[in-house]
Amino acid sequence: ADLPLTADDDTAAVASMLNNMDVVSERAASAKQRAAVAATRADLASLVDKTSGANRPTLASIDKRFKHLTQRFADDALESRNNAEALIAHLKLFLIIMAGGAVIGALALAWFLIGGVVSPLRQVVKLIGAMGERKVDLPKKLLGRADEIGRMVAALAAQQDASDLLERTQLDQAKTREAAERERAQNQ
């Protein structure tokens, strides 16, 4: 079994194995793996080399190297799979954290919109309703705003001022008419 292989079938089988070893060497992940494949390939090639003489390795030692290579590649594949699974777990965690951040951001935006826009608009609607009952104290906080809500409240304040002026004018006119009527009544 330790003699050179001479049968054509044996030589063809070893040549096929050498080609497969070349493919394995090309796909090896590290230089160490490529070196181990090259050493095993050299031992395998010496089986069909008739000039190698007594330095030829035994089939048992080549088989042992094949088993070792196979185990090493299997271990590397398992490690790569474990690394990929760990990466997937980290990506899932990252996506969950990002989704949570997006939810928190959406809630913060909703809180801002409710506090900064919706709540003041509700106050303006209440003010408009109360203006029908006449005198309304407009909140200074809303009057001082520089946005549309502030302009609406300023317009309401102007309307209230105009309404107050109209009411005073009508009251003054009514008093003037009463005074004129009293004076006419006294002169008659």
Side-chain angles (χ1 to χ4, degrees):
D2 291 345
L3 298 176
L5 299 176
T6 55
D8 288 338
D9 289 341
D10 292 338
T11 305
V14 170
S16 174
M17 290 174 72
L18 291 172
N19 286 335
N20 289 338
M21 295 291 288
D22 290 337
V23 172
V24 168
S25 181
E26 289 173 11
R27 294 182 181 171
S30 67
K32 192 174 183 180
Q33 286 177 339
R34 284 189 290 280
V37 170
T40 305
R41 187 189 187 290
D43 287 346
L44 188 60
S46 71
L47 287 178
V48 291
D49 184 8
K50 295 180 177 144
T51 62
S52 64
N55 294 348
R56 186 175 305 119
T58 64
L59 287 175
S61 70
I62 292 174
D63 184 51
K64 185 177 177 181
R65 280 196 177 180
F66 270 127
K67 287 179 182 174
H68 180 70
L69 278 176
T70 303
Q71 185 61 46
R72 183 181 290 172
F73 280 114
D75 291 345
D76 289 345
L78 183 60
E79 182 182 346
S80 294
R81 188 184 97 206
N82 290 341
N83 290 342
E85 288 174 352
L87 178 63
I88 289 170
H90 284 110
L91 287 174
K92 284 180 182 178
L93 178 63
F94 176 74
L95 288 174
I96 289 170
I97 290 170
M98 291 303 293
V103 167
I104 290 170
L107 290 174
L109 180 63
W111 180 76
F112 169 75
L113 288 176
I114 289 171
V117 176
V118 175
S119 180
L121 277 176
R122 285 183 181 155
Q123 289 178 338
V124 169
V125 169
K126 286 180 184 177
L127 288 173
I128 292 171
M131 286 187 76
E133 299 170 8
R134 295 292 174 195
K135 192 69 175 165
V136 176
D137 290 329
L138 298 173
K140 302 283 188 231
K141 183 172 87 172
L142 293 178
L143 277 170
R145 290 179 63 139
D147 59 0
E148 289 79 9
I149 293 172
R151 288 193 290 266
M152 286 172 46
V153 172
L156 289 174
Q159 181 183 1
Q160 186 173 359
D161 291 344
S163 178
D164 290 347
L165 180 62
L166 178 63
E167 189 177 315
R168 281 193 305 266
T169 304
Q170 289 173 346
L171 188 59
D172 288 346
Q173 286 175 351
K175 285 180 184 178
T176 305
R177 267 183 285 178
E178 277 181 28
E181 284 178 18
R182 263 186 275 136
E183 194 176 311
R184 260 184 281 170
Q186 283 179 354
N187 288 341
Q188 286 183 350

